[in-house]
């Protein structure tokens, strides 16, 4: 890549509770999303980073396979209302740590920790990026924590890619929308899960549901019209609706923004 580059490996869930796996994945996914908003920083996409999930890997080997200069790895332990996050930024060439930190926080502070990690990484890998760029990742207003929880649990079911898990994802993402109507990700991913349920699995094709899905992606873009993923997801809904011109233009906008 032309500029500095980074891969965020899935954070390890070390709490011993497999039910909390989605929480560690959610933190990793949010960091990928936040870092992707920084101009001039190449960030490996979720699917590529998550291909290493659960594997014991050499960071230098991962960096070489993904073509990046830096790798972020870490672990999460969630204990009731407390969370411990360990994060370390590794230089791919030397395998040495550029930065490492441990955060012991209340669960409600999870978004602040994400902001701190993101700002620290940007300062480490691209010092010339100004404060204005780093501030793009700040969440104002903050997402409702219960909505965030439902969203990432829903996404974890979505990526299992089965009929039953897709239905669970739809329900959880719908619940996330209801808990926080201003959480654009919940709207967009509910629409995506619902449409893929029609295309591949057990959701009966229904024009009213297709209309609701399109409306949900439009709502997400009203909340954040600079979000490349929202344009991509709306384009996927357009494709299912046979609206090929809109699907093409939506994907072009997604590429332009990211």
């Amino acid at each position: 890549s032309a500029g500095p580059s980074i891969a965020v490996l899935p954070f390890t869930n070390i709490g011993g509770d497999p039910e909390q796996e989605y929480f560690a994945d959610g933190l990793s996914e949010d960091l990928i999303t936040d870092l992707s908003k920084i101009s001039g920083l190449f960030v490996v996409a979720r699917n590529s980073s998550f291909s290493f999930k659960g594997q014991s890997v050499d960071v230098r080997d991962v960096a070489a396979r993904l073509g990046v200069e830096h790798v972020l790895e870490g672990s999460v332990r969630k204990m009731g209302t407390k969370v411990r996050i360990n994060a370390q930024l590794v230089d791919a060439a030397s395998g040495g740590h550029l930065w490492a930190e441990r955060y012991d926080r209340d669960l409600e502070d999870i978004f602040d920790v994400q902001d701190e990690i993101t700002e620290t990484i940007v300062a480490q890998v691209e010092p010339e990026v100004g404060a204005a760029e780093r501030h793009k990742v700040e969440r104002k207003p903050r997402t409702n924590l219960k909505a965030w929880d439902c969203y990432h649990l829903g996404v974890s079911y979505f990526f299992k890619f089965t009929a039953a898990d897709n239905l669970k994802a739809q329900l959880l993402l719908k619940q996330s929308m209801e808990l926080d109507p201003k959480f654009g990700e919940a709207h967009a991913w509910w629409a995506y899960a619902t449409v893929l349920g029609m295309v591949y699995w057990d959701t009966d094709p229904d024009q009213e549901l297709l209309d609701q899905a399109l409306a949900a992606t439009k709502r997400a873009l009203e909340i954040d019209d600079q979000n490349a993923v929202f344009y991509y997801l709306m384009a996927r809904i357009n494709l299912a609706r046979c609206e090929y011109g809109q699907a093409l233009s939506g994907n072009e906008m997604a590429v332009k923004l990211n």
Side-chain angles (χ1 to χ4, degrees):
S1 58
S5 53
I6 188 170
V8 179
L9 294 183
F11 277 44
T12 305
N13 169 35
I14 60 171
D17 182 1
E19 294 294 316
Q20 294 301 326
E21 194 74 20
Y22 78 93
F23 187 87
D25 287 351
L27 175 63
S28 313
E29 289 162 356
D30 277 9
L31 288 168
I32 291 170
T33 299
D34 290 348
L35 288 165
S36 295
K37 295 176 183 177
I38 306 298
S39 297
L41 179 62
F42 173 79
V43 184
V44 170
R46 178 204 187 278
N47 287 0
S48 297
S49 291
F50 272 65
S51 67
F52 297 97
K53 183 174 168 63
Q55 299 180 26
S56 178
V57 294
D58 183 300
V59 170
R60 285 174 291 186
D61 180 48
V62 169
R65 289 165 65 180
L66 295 176
V68 294
E69 301 163 342
H70 307 91
V71 174
L72 178 71
E73 59 179 358
S75 62
V76 182
R77 182 188 294 271
K78 185 165 171 269
M79 304 158 287
T81 62
K82 301 288 185 182
V83 62
R84 170 172 290 178
I85 297 168
N86 286 288
Q88 54 190 27
L89 184 66
V90 180
D91 176 75
S94 67
H97 294 164
L98 292 173
W99 162 82
E101 188 65 75
R102 188 178 85 181
Y103 302 88
D104 286 309
R105 300 288 179 86
D106 290 327
L107 201 55
E108 294 285 342
D109 296 332
I110 184 73
F111 305 128
D112 292 323
V113 174
Q114 289 176 5
D115 286 349
E116 286 181 38
I117 293 173
T118 303
E119 290 217 10
T120 302
I121 290 168
V122 174
Q124 289 282 343
V125 304
E126 194 173 15
E128 66 269 25
V129 171
E133 275 298 321
R134 292 199 295 276
H135 288 162
K136 282 184 180 179
V137 304
E138 290 186 354
R139 304 158 191 272
K140 295 177 181 177
R142 296 289 181 179
T143 302
N144 175 301
L145 186 59
K146 288 182 180 177
W148 185 93
D149 212 50
C150 272
Y151 164 73
H152 280 296
L153 186 56
V155 167
S156 74
Y157 278 113
F158 174 84
F159 279 110
K160 292 177 190 287
F161 290 120
T162 73
D165 289 319
N166 179 267
L167 289 173
K168 290 178 184 175
Q170 290 181 43
L171 289 171
L172 284 159
L173 291 164
K174 185 98 172 168
Q175 188 177 352
S176 180
M177 289 164 57
E178 291 165 354
L179 284 165
D180 189 351
K182 293 183 179 179
F183 188 22
E185 281 80 359
H187 292 270
W189 282 85
W190 171 80
Y192 189 39
T194 300
V195 165
L196 287 199
M198 289 188 219
V199 173
Y200 296 117
W201 296 302
D202 293 347
T203 306
D204 291 329
D206 179 273
Q207 187 60 46
E208 184 178 349
L209 205 51
L210 282 170
D211 291 345
Q212 290 174 10
L214 184 61
T217 54
K218 287 181 175 177
R219 177 65 186 128
L221 281 165
E222 287 172 5
I223 294 165
D224 182 1
D225 65 0
Q226 297 299 301
N227 190 309
V229 174
F230 292 174
Y231 281 101
Y232 155 68
L233 295 179
M234 185 167 70
R236 185 62 184 85
I237 309 310
N238 289 138
L239 180 63
R241 293 166 59 89
C242 302
E243 297 164 350
Y244 302 119
Q246 292 96 316
L248 183 60
S249 61
N251 276 316
E252 286 172 344
M253 180 61 81
V255 170
K256 180 181 177 182
L257 285 171
N258 189 348

